[in-house]
Amino acid sequence: MSIVMMGARDADVRYPNASNDQHFSKVGFVPLVNFYVGYNSGEHWTAILEGDALASEYGRAEDIFAGLSTI
């Protein structure tokens, strides 16, 4: 099951060169799709993949975790 959640974004784009250093900062909210997948092997471990992600023509945001859990 996927849900949409809101995440805060803080973007700072910087263009440095020899004579000038420009940067643009923007803070805003971004809707992210949340996902979780778990697989229990029946033994003593579980594989987990979970995260929040979204991509568009303006950029992308992701926070993804993959790991193993043991009992």
Side-chain angles (χ1 to χ4, degrees):
M1 181 170 102
S2 294
I3 60 171
V4 176
M5 56 187 293
M6 295 295 281
R9 174 184 61 90
D10 180 11
D12 187 26
V13 179
R14 190 170 292 268
Y15 300 104
N17 62 30
S19 63
N20 196 356
D21 185 13
Q22 294 181 339
H23 77 93
F24 305 95
S25 182
K26 187 172 183 181
V27 176
F29 290 98
V30 177
L32 299 174
V33 177
N34 177 266
F35 62 90
Y36 175 87
V37 177
Y39 173 74
N40 188 346
S41 71
E43 298 292 324
H44 297 288
W45 61 271
T46 302
I48 301 169
L49 175 66
E50 66 176 323
D52 307 308
L54 187 69
S56 74
E57 62 186 69
Y58 303 108
R60 68 177 194 267
E62 68 257 351
D63 180 14
I64 299 172
F65 169 79
L68 295 173
S69 174
T70 61
I71 298 176

Short mmCIF file of all heavy atoms in Angstrom, two decimals:
data_model
loop_
_atom_site.label_atom_id
_atom_site.label_comp_id
_atom_site.label_asym_id
_atom_site.label_seq_id
_atom_site.Cartn_x
_atom_site.Cartn_y
_atom_site.Cartn_z
N MET A 1 0.84 -1.17 0.00
CA MET A 1 0.00 0.00 0.00
C MET A 1 0.88 1.23 0.00
O MET A 1 1.85 1.31 0.74
CB MET A 1 -0.89 -0.01 1.23
CG MET A 1 -1.81 1.18 1.28
SD MET A 1 -3.05 1.02 2.55
CE MET A 1 -2.37 2.08 3.78
N SER A 2 0.59 2.20 -0.84
CA SER A 2 1.34 3.45 -0.91
C SER A 2 0.49 4.59 -0.40
O SER A 2 -0.70 4.63 -0.62
CB SER A 2 1.77 3.76 -2.35
OG SER A 2 2.69 2.81 -2.79
N ILE A 3 1.13 5.51 0.28
CA ILE A 3 0.45 6.71 0.73
C ILE A 3 1.26 7.92 0.27
O ILE A 3 2.45 7.81 -0.01
CB ILE A 3 0.28 6.74 2.26
CG1 ILE A 3 1.64 6.68 2.96
CG2 ILE A 3 -0.58 5.60 2.73
CD1 ILE A 3 1.57 6.93 4.43
N VAL A 4 0.61 9.03 0.16
CA VAL A 4 1.30 10.26 -0.20
C VAL A 4 1.47 11.09 1.06
O VAL A 4 0.52 11.30 1.80
CB VAL A 4 0.51 11.05 -1.27
CG1 VAL A 4 1.18 12.37 -1.56
CG2 VAL A 4 0.36 10.22 -2.53
N MET A 5 2.68 11.53 1.30
CA MET A 5 2.95 12.34 2.47
C MET A 5 3.69 13.60 2.04
O MET A 5 4.24 13.66 0.95
CB MET A 5 3.75 11.56 3.51
CG MET A 5 5.05 11.00 2.99
SD MET A 5 5.88 9.92 4.15
CE MET A 5 6.32 11.04 5.43
N MET A 6 3.68 14.61 2.88
CA MET A 6 4.35 15.86 2.56
C MET A 6 5.70 15.89 3.26
O MET A 6 5.81 15.56 4.43
CB MET A 6 3.51 17.05 3.02
CG MET A 6 2.20 17.18 2.29
SD MET A 6 2.39 17.52 0.55
CE MET A 6 2.74 19.24 0.59
N GLY A 7 6.72 16.29 2.52
CA GLY A 7 8.06 16.44 3.08
C GLY A 7 8.55 17.86 2.87
O GLY A 7 8.18 18.52 1.90
N ALA A 8 9.36 18.35 3.77
CA ALA A 8 9.94 19.69 3.63
C ALA A 8 11.22 19.58 2.81
O ALA A 8 12.00 18.66 2.98
CB ALA A 8 10.22 20.29 4.99
N ARG A 9 11.41 20.54 1.91
CA ARG A 9 12.58 20.54 1.04
C ARG A 9 13.33 21.84 1.24
O ARG A 9 12.75 22.92 1.26
CB ARG A 9 12.15 20.42 -0.42
CG ARG A 9 13.28 20.56 -1.40
CD ARG A 9 12.75 20.51 -2.81
NE ARG A 9 11.81 21.57 -3.10
CZ ARG A 9 12.15 22.76 -3.58
NH1 ARG A 9 13.39 23.03 -3.83
NH2 ARG A 9 11.23 23.66 -3.84
N ASP A 10 14.65 21.75 1.36
CA ASP A 10 15.51 22.92 1.44
C ASP A 10 16.54 22.80 0.34
O ASP A 10 17.45 21.97 0.42
CB ASP A 10 16.18 22.99 2.81
CG ASP A 10 17.09 24.20 2.94
OD1 ASP A 10 17.03 25.08 2.08
OD2 ASP A 10 17.85 24.25 3.92
N ALA A 11 16.39 23.58 -0.72
CA ALA A 11 17.30 23.52 -1.86
C ALA A 11 18.21 24.73 -1.86
O ALA A 11 17.77 25.85 -1.66
CB ALA A 11 16.51 23.46 -3.16
N ASP A 12 19.48 24.51 -2.07
CA ASP A 12 20.46 25.59 -2.19
C ASP A 12 21.32 25.30 -3.42
O ASP A 12 22.12 24.37 -3.41
CB ASP A 12 21.32 25.70 -0.94
CG ASP A 12 22.24 26.92 -0.97
OD1 ASP A 12 21.88 27.90 -1.65
OD2 ASP A 12 23.29 26.88 -0.32
N VAL A 13 21.13 26.09 -4.47
CA VAL A 13 21.87 25.92 -5.72
C VAL A 13 22.93 27.00 -5.77
O VAL A 13 22.64 28.18 -5.60
CB VAL A 13 20.93 26.02 -6.94
CG1 VAL A 13 21.72 25.87 -8.22
CG2 VAL A 13 19.83 24.98 -6.85
N ARG A 14 24.18 26.60 -6.02
CA ARG A 14 25.29 27.54 -5.99
C ARG A 14 26.05 27.49 -7.31
O ARG A 14 26.32 26.43 -7.84
CB ARG A 14 26.24 27.18 -4.84
CG ARG A 14 27.30 28.19 -4.56
CD ARG A 14 28.02 27.87 -3.26
NE ARG A 14 27.15 28.03 -2.12
CZ ARG A 14 27.04 29.15 -1.40
NH1 ARG A 14 27.76 30.20 -1.71
NH2 ARG A 14 26.24 29.20 -0.37
N TYR A 15 26.38 28.69 -7.84
CA TYR A 15 27.14 28.84 -9.09
C TYR A 15 28.39 29.65 -8.83
O TYR A 15 28.43 30.85 -9.06
CB TYR A 15 26.30 29.54 -10.17
CG TYR A 15 25.04 28.83 -10.54
CD1 TYR A 15 23.81 29.27 -10.08
CD2 TYR A 15 25.08 27.71 -11.35
CE1 TYR A 15 22.64 28.62 -10.43
CE2 TYR A 15 23.92 27.04 -11.70
CZ TYR A 15 22.71 27.52 -11.24
OH TYR A 15 21.57 26.86 -11.58
N PRO A 16 29.47 29.03 -8.37
CA PRO A 16 30.69 29.80 -8.12
C PRO A 16 31.59 29.87 -9.36
O PRO A 16 31.62 28.95 -10.17
CB PRO A 16 31.38 28.99 -7.02
CG PRO A 16 30.95 27.59 -7.28
CD PRO A 16 29.55 27.68 -7.84
N ASN A 17 32.26 30.98 -9.52
CA ASN A 17 33.32 31.11 -10.52
C ASN A 17 34.39 32.03 -9.96
O ASN A 17 34.33 32.43 -8.80
CB ASN A 17 32.77 31.58 -11.89
CG ASN A 17 32.14 32.95 -11.83
OD1 ASN A 17 32.53 33.79 -11.03
ND2 ASN A 17 31.15 33.17 -12.68
N ALA A 18 35.37 32.39 -10.76
CA ALA A 18 36.52 33.16 -10.26
C ALA A 18 36.12 34.55 -9.76
O ALA A 18 36.74 35.06 -8.82
CB ALA A 18 37.56 33.27 -11.36
N SER A 19 35.12 35.18 -10.36
CA SER A 19 34.79 36.56 -9.98
C SER A 19 33.47 36.71 -9.22
O SER A 19 33.20 37.77 -8.68
CB SER A 19 34.73 37.44 -11.23
OG SER A 19 33.69 36.99 -12.07
N ASN A 20 32.65 35.68 -9.19
CA ASN A 20 31.33 35.82 -8.60
C ASN A 20 30.90 34.49 -7.97
O ASN A 20 31.26 33.43 -8.44
CB ASN A 20 30.34 36.23 -9.70
CG ASN A 20 29.05 36.78 -9.13
OD1 ASN A 20 28.85 36.78 -7.93
ND2 ASN A 20 28.17 37.22 -10.01
N ASP A 21 30.12 34.58 -6.91
CA ASP A 21 29.57 33.39 -6.26
C ASP A 21 28.08 33.63 -6.02
O ASP A 21 27.71 34.34 -5.10
CB ASP A 21 30.29 33.13 -4.94
CG ASP A 21 29.85 31.84 -4.27
OD1 ASP A 21 29.17 31.03 -4.92
OD2 ASP A 21 30.19 31.66 -3.09
N GLN A 22 27.24 33.08 -6.87
CA GLN A 22 25.80 33.25 -6.74
C GLN A 22 25.18 32.00 -6.16
O GLN A 22 25.64 30.89 -6.43
CB GLN A 22 25.17 33.50 -8.11
CG GLN A 22 25.58 34.79 -8.76
CD GLN A 22 24.89 34.95 -10.10
OE1 GLN A 22 24.43 33.99 -10.70
NE2 GLN A 22 24.80 36.19 -10.57
N HIS A 23 24.16 32.19 -5.35
CA HIS A 23 23.39 31.03 -4.88
C HIS A 23 21.93 31.41 -4.73
O HIS A 23 21.58 32.55 -4.49
CB HIS A 23 23.97 30.45 -3.59
CG HIS A 23 23.65 31.23 -2.36
ND1 HIS A 23 22.57 30.96 -1.57
CD2 HIS A 23 24.27 32.29 -1.78
CE1 HIS A 23 22.54 31.80 -0.56
NE2 HIS A 23 23.55 32.62 -0.67
N PHE A 24 21.09 30.42 -4.92
CA PHE A 24 19.65 30.58 -4.84
C PHE A 24 19.13 29.57 -3.83
O PHE A 24 19.42 28.39 -3.92
CB PHE A 24 19.00 30.34 -6.20
CG PHE A 24 19.56 31.20 -7.29
CD1 PHE A 24 20.57 30.72 -8.10
CD2 PHE A 24 19.11 32.49 -7.48
CE1 PHE A 24 21.11 31.51 -9.10
CE2 PHE A 24 19.64 33.29 -8.47
CZ PHE A 24 20.64 32.80 -9.28
N SER A 25 18.37 30.04 -2.87
CA SER A 25 17.83 29.17 -1.83
C SER A 25 16.31 29.15 -1.93
O SER A 25 15.68 30.18 -2.17
CB SER A 25 18.25 29.67 -0.45
OG SER A 25 17.77 28.82 0.55
N LYS A 26 15.73 27.97 -1.74
CA LYS A 26 14.28 27.84 -1.79
C LYS A 26 13.85 26.75 -0.82
O LYS A 26 14.39 25.66 -0.83
CB LYS A 26 13.81 27.50 -3.20
CG LYS A 26 12.32 27.51 -3.36
CD LYS A 26 11.93 27.36 -4.81
CE LYS A 26 10.42 27.44 -4.94
NZ LYS A 26 10.00 27.28 -6.32
N VAL A 27 12.87 27.06 0.00
CA VAL A 27 12.31 26.11 0.96
C VAL A 27 10.85 25.90 0.61
O VAL A 27 10.13 26.86 0.30
CB VAL A 27 12.45 26.63 2.40
CG1 VAL A 27 11.77 25.69 3.39
CG2 VAL A 27 13.90 26.84 2.77
N GLY A 28 10.39 24.66 0.62
CA GLY A 28 9.00 24.40 0.31
C GLY A 28 8.59 22.99 0.68
O GLY A 28 9.40 22.21 1.18
N PHE A 29 7.33 22.67 0.43
CA PHE A 29 6.82 21.34 0.72
C PHE A 29 6.67 20.55 -0.57
O PHE A 29 6.28 21.09 -1.60
CB PHE A 29 5.48 21.44 1.45
CG PHE A 29 5.60 21.94 2.85
CD1 PHE A 29 5.37 23.27 3.14
CD2 PHE A 29 5.98 21.09 3.87
CE1 PHE A 29 5.50 23.74 4.43
CE2 PHE A 29 6.13 21.55 5.15
CZ PHE A 29 5.89 22.89 5.43
N VAL A 30 7.01 19.28 -0.50
CA VAL A 30 7.00 18.40 -1.67
C VAL A 30 6.19 17.15 -1.31
O VAL A 30 6.43 16.53 -0.28
CB VAL A 30 8.44 17.97 -2.05
CG1 VAL A 30 8.43 17.02 -3.21
CG2 VAL A 30 9.29 19.18 -2.34
N PRO A 31 5.20 16.78 -2.14
CA PRO A 31 4.47 15.53 -1.87
C PRO A 31 5.34 14.33 -2.26
O PRO A 31 5.91 14.30 -3.35
CB PRO A 31 3.24 15.63 -2.77
CG PRO A 31 3.65 16.53 -3.87
CD PRO A 31 4.66 17.49 -3.29
N LEU A 32 5.49 13.37 -1.36
CA LEU A 32 6.31 12.19 -1.60
C LEU A 32 5.46 10.93 -1.51
O LEU A 32 4.53 10.86 -0.71
CB LEU A 32 7.44 12.10 -0.57
CG LEU A 32 8.43 13.26 -0.55
CD1 LEU A 32 9.39 13.09 0.61
CD2 LEU A 32 9.17 13.34 -1.85
N VAL A 33 5.78 9.92 -2.31
CA VAL A 33 5.10 8.64 -2.26
C VAL A 33 5.89 7.72 -1.33
O VAL A 33 7.09 7.56 -1.48
CB VAL A 33 4.98 8.01 -3.67
CG1 VAL A 33 4.34 6.65 -3.59
CG2 VAL A 33 4.19 8.93 -4.59
N ASN A 34 5.21 7.15 -0.36
CA ASN A 34 5.84 6.26 0.62
C ASN A 34 5.60 4.82 0.21
O ASN A 34 4.52 4.46 -0.22
CB ASN A 34 5.23 6.52 2.00
CG ASN A 34 5.79 5.59 3.04
OD1 ASN A 34 5.21 4.55 3.31
ND2 ASN A 34 6.91 5.95 3.61
N PHE A 35 6.66 3.99 0.35
CA PHE A 35 6.50 2.56 0.06
C PHE A 35 7.25 1.74 1.09
O PHE A 35 8.21 2.19 1.70
CB PHE A 35 6.98 2.22 -1.36
CG PHE A 35 8.44 2.50 -1.60
CD1 PHE A 35 9.38 1.53 -1.36
CD2 PHE A 35 8.84 3.74 -2.06
CE1 PHE A 35 10.73 1.78 -1.57
CE2 PHE A 35 10.19 4.00 -2.29
CZ PHE A 35 11.13 3.02 -2.04
N TYR A 36 6.76 0.51 1.30
CA TYR A 36 7.38 -0.44 2.23
C TYR A 36 7.17 -1.84 1.69
O TYR A 36 6.05 -2.22 1.34
CB TYR A 36 6.74 -0.33 3.61
CG TYR A 36 7.26 -1.36 4.58
CD1 TYR A 36 8.40 -1.12 5.33
CD2 TYR A 36 6.62 -2.59 4.73
CE1 TYR A 36 8.89 -2.06 6.21
CE2 TYR A 36 7.11 -3.54 5.61
CZ TYR A 36 8.24 -3.27 6.34
OH TYR A 36 8.73 -4.21 7.20
N VAL A 37 8.24 -2.61 1.59
CA VAL A 37 8.17 -4.01 1.17
C VAL A 37 8.99 -4.82 2.17
O VAL A 37 10.15 -4.49 2.44
CB VAL A 37 8.74 -4.21 -0.25
CG1 VAL A 37 8.70 -5.68 -0.63
CG2 VAL A 37 7.98 -3.38 -1.26
N GLY A 38 8.39 -5.86 2.71
CA GLY A 38 9.10 -6.73 3.63
C GLY A 38 8.94 -8.18 3.20
O GLY A 38 7.87 -8.58 2.73
N TYR A 39 10.00 -8.97 3.32
CA TYR A 39 9.96 -10.38 2.98
C TYR A 39 10.51 -11.18 4.15
O TYR A 39 11.67 -11.02 4.54
CB TYR A 39 10.78 -10.67 1.72
CG TYR A 39 10.90 -12.15 1.43
CD1 TYR A 39 9.82 -12.86 0.93
CD2 TYR A 39 12.09 -12.83 1.68
CE1 TYR A 39 9.92 -14.22 0.68
CE2 TYR A 39 12.20 -14.18 1.44
CZ TYR A 39 11.12 -14.87 0.94
OH TYR A 39 11.22 -16.21 0.70
N ASN A 40 9.66 -12.04 4.73
CA ASN A 40 10.07 -12.90 5.83
C ASN A 40 10.42 -14.26 5.26
O ASN A 40 9.59 -14.93 4.66
CB ASN A 40 8.93 -13.01 6.84
CG ASN A 40 9.35 -13.72 8.10
OD1 ASN A 40 10.40 -14.36 8.14
ND2 ASN A 40 8.55 -13.62 9.12
N SER A 41 11.66 -14.69 5.45
CA SER A 41 12.14 -15.93 4.85
C SER A 41 11.60 -17.18 5.52
O SER A 41 11.75 -18.27 5.00
CB SER A 41 13.67 -15.96 4.89
OG SER A 41 14.10 -16.14 6.23
N GLY A 42 11.00 -17.04 6.67
CA GLY A 42 10.57 -18.21 7.42
C GLY A 42 11.68 -18.72 8.32
O GLY A 42 11.47 -19.54 9.18
N GLU A 43 12.88 -18.26 8.08
CA GLU A 43 14.02 -18.59 8.95
C GLU A 43 14.07 -17.52 10.05
O GLU A 43 13.06 -17.20 10.64
CB GLU A 43 15.31 -18.59 8.11
CG GLU A 43 15.32 -19.62 7.01
CD GLU A 43 15.37 -21.04 7.52
OE1 GLU A 43 16.02 -21.29 8.55
OE2 GLU A 43 14.74 -21.90 6.90
N HIS A 44 15.24 -16.95 10.26
CA HIS A 44 15.40 -15.96 11.32
C HIS A 44 15.78 -14.59 10.77
O HIS A 44 16.39 -13.80 11.48
CB HIS A 44 16.47 -16.43 12.31
CG HIS A 44 16.09 -17.69 13.01
ND1 HIS A 44 15.11 -17.74 13.98
CD2 HIS A 44 16.53 -18.95 12.85
CE1 HIS A 44 14.99 -18.98 14.40
NE2 HIS A 44 15.85 -19.75 13.73
N TRP A 45 15.43 -14.29 9.53
CA TRP A 45 15.75 -12.97 8.99
C TRP A 45 14.61 -12.45 8.11
O TRP A 45 13.81 -13.20 7.59
CB TRP A 45 17.07 -12.98 8.22
CG TRP A 45 17.10 -13.91 7.04
CD1 TRP A 45 17.46 -15.22 7.03
CD2 TRP A 45 16.74 -13.60 5.70
NE1 TRP A 45 17.34 -15.74 5.77
CE2 TRP A 45 16.91 -14.76 4.92
CE3 TRP A 45 16.28 -12.45 5.06
CZ2 TRP A 45 16.64 -14.81 3.57
CZ3 TRP A 45 16.03 -12.50 3.70
CH2 TRP A 45 16.21 -13.66 2.97
N THR A 46 14.57 -11.14 7.97
CA THR A 46 13.57 -10.45 7.16
C THR A 46 14.29 -9.41 6.30
O THR A 46 15.12 -8.66 6.82
CB THR A 46 12.53 -9.75 8.05
OG1 THR A 46 11.91 -10.72 8.88
CG2 THR A 46 11.48 -9.05 7.23
N ALA A 47 13.98 -9.37 5.02
CA ALA A 47 14.51 -8.33 4.12
C ALA A 47 13.51 -7.18 4.07
O ALA A 47 12.30 -7.40 3.98
CB ALA A 47 14.74 -8.90 2.74
N ILE A 48 14.02 -5.95 4.15
CA ILE A 48 13.17 -4.77 4.19
C ILE A 48 13.63 -3.77 3.13
O ILE A 48 14.82 -3.51 2.98
CB ILE A 48 13.23 -4.09 5.57
CG1 ILE A 48 12.77 -5.06 6.66
CG2 ILE A 48 12.41 -2.81 5.59
CD1 ILE A 48 13.06 -4.57 8.06
N LEU A 49 12.67 -3.21 2.40
CA LEU A 49 12.92 -2.10 1.48
C LEU A 49 11.83 -1.08 1.73
O LEU A 49 10.64 -1.39 1.61
CB LEU A 49 12.88 -2.56 0.02
CG LEU A 49 13.01 -1.46 -1.03
CD1 LEU A 49 14.39 -0.83 -0.97
CD2 LEU A 49 12.74 -2.02 -2.41
N GLU A 50 12.22 0.13 2.14
CA GLU A 50 11.24 1.16 2.42
C GLU A 50 11.79 2.52 2.03
O GLU A 50 13.00 2.70 1.95
CB GLU A 50 10.82 1.17 3.89
CG GLU A 50 11.91 1.55 4.85
CD GLU A 50 11.40 1.62 6.28
OE1 GLU A 50 10.26 2.05 6.49
OE2 GLU A 50 12.16 1.25 7.17
N GLY A 51 10.89 3.45 1.75
CA GLY A 51 11.36 4.77 1.41
C GLY A 51 10.25 5.74 1.04
O GLY A 51 9.07 5.40 1.01
N ASP A 52 10.68 6.96 0.77
CA ASP A 52 9.84 8.04 0.29
C ASP A 52 10.52 8.59 -0.95
O ASP A 52 11.72 8.87 -0.91
CB ASP A 52 9.74 9.17 1.32
CG ASP A 52 9.29 8.67 2.69
OD1 ASP A 52 8.27 7.97 2.72
OD2 ASP A 52 9.96 8.97 3.67
N ALA A 53 9.79 8.75 -2.05
CA ALA A 53 10.42 9.21 -3.28
C ALA A 53 9.41 9.86 -4.21
O ALA A 53 8.22 9.56 -4.15
CB ALA A 53 11.11 8.05 -4.00
N LEU A 54 9.91 10.74 -5.08
CA LEU A 54 9.12 11.35 -6.13
C LEU A 54 10.07 12.02 -7.11
O LEU A 54 11.09 12.58 -6.70
CB LEU A 54 8.14 12.38 -5.58
CG LEU A 54 7.15 12.95 -6.58
CD1 LEU A 54 6.15 11.88 -7.00
CD2 LEU A 54 6.42 14.13 -6.01
N ALA A 55 9.75 11.96 -8.40
CA ALA A 55 10.55 12.62 -9.42
C ALA A 55 9.62 13.43 -10.31
O ALA A 55 8.48 13.04 -10.55
CB ALA A 55 11.32 11.61 -10.25
N SER A 56 10.11 14.56 -10.80
CA SER A 56 9.35 15.40 -11.72
C SER A 56 10.32 16.10 -12.65
O SER A 56 11.54 15.89 -12.57
CB SER A 56 8.51 16.43 -10.96
OG SER A 56 9.33 17.46 -10.45
N GLU A 57 9.82 16.95 -13.51
CA GLU A 57 10.69 17.69 -14.43
C GLU A 57 11.55 18.71 -13.69
O GLU A 57 12.54 19.20 -14.23
CB GLU A 57 9.85 18.39 -15.48
CG GLU A 57 8.89 19.43 -14.90
CD GLU A 57 7.96 20.01 -15.93
OE1 GLU A 57 7.08 19.27 -16.41
OE2 GLU A 57 8.13 21.19 -16.26
N TYR A 58 11.21 19.05 -12.45
CA TYR A 58 11.96 20.03 -11.67
C TYR A 58 13.05 19.41 -10.81
O TYR A 58 13.85 20.12 -10.22
CB TYR A 58 11.01 20.83 -10.79
CG TYR A 58 9.93 21.52 -11.59
CD1 TYR A 58 8.62 21.07 -11.54
CD2 TYR A 58 10.24 22.59 -12.40
CE1 TYR A 58 7.63 21.68 -12.28
CE2 TYR A 58 9.26 23.21 -13.15
CZ TYR A 58 7.96 22.75 -13.08
OH TYR A 58 7.00 23.37 -13.83
N GLY A 59 13.07 18.10 -10.69
CA GLY A 59 14.08 17.43 -9.86
C GLY A 59 13.51 16.18 -9.22
O GLY A 59 12.46 15.69 -9.61
N ARG A 60 14.20 15.69 -8.23
CA ARG A 60 13.73 14.49 -7.56
C ARG A 60 14.10 14.54 -6.08
O ARG A 60 14.99 15.28 -5.68
CB ARG A 60 14.34 13.25 -8.20
CG ARG A 60 15.82 13.10 -8.00
CD ARG A 60 16.32 11.80 -8.62
NE ARG A 60 17.64 11.50 -8.15
CZ ARG A 60 18.75 11.85 -8.76
NH1 ARG A 60 18.69 12.52 -9.88
NH2 ARG A 60 19.92 11.53 -8.27
N ALA A 61 13.41 13.74 -5.31
CA ALA A 61 13.69 13.59 -3.88
C ALA A 61 13.54 12.12 -3.54
O ALA A 61 12.59 11.47 -3.97
CB ALA A 61 12.72 14.42 -3.05
N GLU A 62 14.48 11.59 -2.80
CA GLU A 62 14.36 10.21 -2.36
C GLU A 62 15.04 10.00 -1.02
O GLU A 62 16.02 10.65 -0.71
CB GLU A 62 14.94 9.23 -3.39
CG GLU A 62 16.42 9.30 -3.57
CD GLU A 62 16.84 10.03 -4.82
OE1 GLU A 62 16.02 10.37 -5.65
OE2 GLU A 62 18.05 10.26 -4.94
N ASP A 63 14.47 9.12 -0.25
CA ASP A 63 15.01 8.67 1.03
C ASP A 63 14.67 7.18 1.10
O ASP A 63 13.54 6.82 1.39
CB ASP A 63 14.39 9.44 2.18
CG ASP A 63 14.92 9.02 3.53
OD1 ASP A 63 15.95 8.31 3.57
OD2 ASP A 63 14.32 9.37 4.56
N ILE A 64 15.64 6.33 0.77
CA ILE A 64 15.38 4.90 0.61
C ILE A 64 16.28 4.09 1.54
O ILE A 64 17.46 4.41 1.68
CB ILE A 64 15.59 4.48 -0.86
CG1 ILE A 64 14.62 5.26 -1.74
CG2 ILE A 64 15.39 2.98 -1.04
CD1 ILE A 64 14.85 5.08 -3.23
N PHE A 65 15.72 3.04 2.13
CA PHE A 65 16.46 2.15 3.02
C PHE A 65 16.27 0.72 2.55
O PHE A 65 15.16 0.30 2.24
CB PHE A 65 15.97 2.26 4.46
CG PHE A 65 16.51 1.20 5.36
CD1 PHE A 65 17.78 1.29 5.88
CD2 PHE A 65 15.75 0.09 5.67
CE1 PHE A 65 18.29 0.30 6.68
CE2 PHE A 65 16.25 -0.91 6.49
CZ PHE A 65 17.52 -0.80 7.00
N ALA A 66 17.34 -0.05 2.50
CA ALA A 66 17.28 -1.49 2.23
C ALA A 66 18.15 -2.17 3.27
O ALA A 66 19.27 -1.73 3.54
CB ALA A 66 17.80 -1.81 0.83
N GLY A 67 17.63 -3.23 3.88
CA GLY A 67 18.41 -3.90 4.91
C GLY A 67 17.84 -5.25 5.28
O GLY A 67 16.80 -5.68 4.81
N LEU A 68 18.55 -5.91 6.19
CA LEU A 68 18.15 -7.21 6.73
C LEU A 68 17.96 -7.09 8.22
O LEU A 68 18.73 -6.41 8.90
CB LEU A 68 19.22 -8.27 6.44
CG LEU A 68 19.46 -8.63 4.99
CD1 LEU A 68 20.64 -9.55 4.88
CD2 LEU A 68 18.23 -9.26 4.39
N SER A 69 16.95 -7.76 8.72
CA SER A 69 16.68 -7.79 10.15
C SER A 69 16.72 -9.25 10.61
O SER A 69 16.18 -10.12 9.93
CB SER A 69 15.30 -7.19 10.43
OG SER A 69 14.97 -7.32 11.77
N THR A 70 17.39 -9.50 11.73
CA THR A 70 17.46 -10.86 12.27
C THR A 70 16.78 -10.90 13.63
O THR A 70 16.68 -9.90 14.33
CB THR A 70 18.92 -11.33 12.43
OG1 THR A 70 19.59 -10.46 13.34
CG2 THR A 70 19.62 -11.34 11.10
N ILE A 71 16.34 -12.09 13.98
CA ILE A 71 15.69 -12.29 15.28
C ILE A 71 16.67 -12.91 16.24
O ILE A 71 17.42 -13.76 15.94
CB ILE A 71 14.44 -13.17 15.15
CG1 ILE A 71 13.45 -12.46 14.25
CG2 ILE A 71 13.84 -13.48 16.49
CD1 ILE A 71 12.21 -13.29 13.96
#
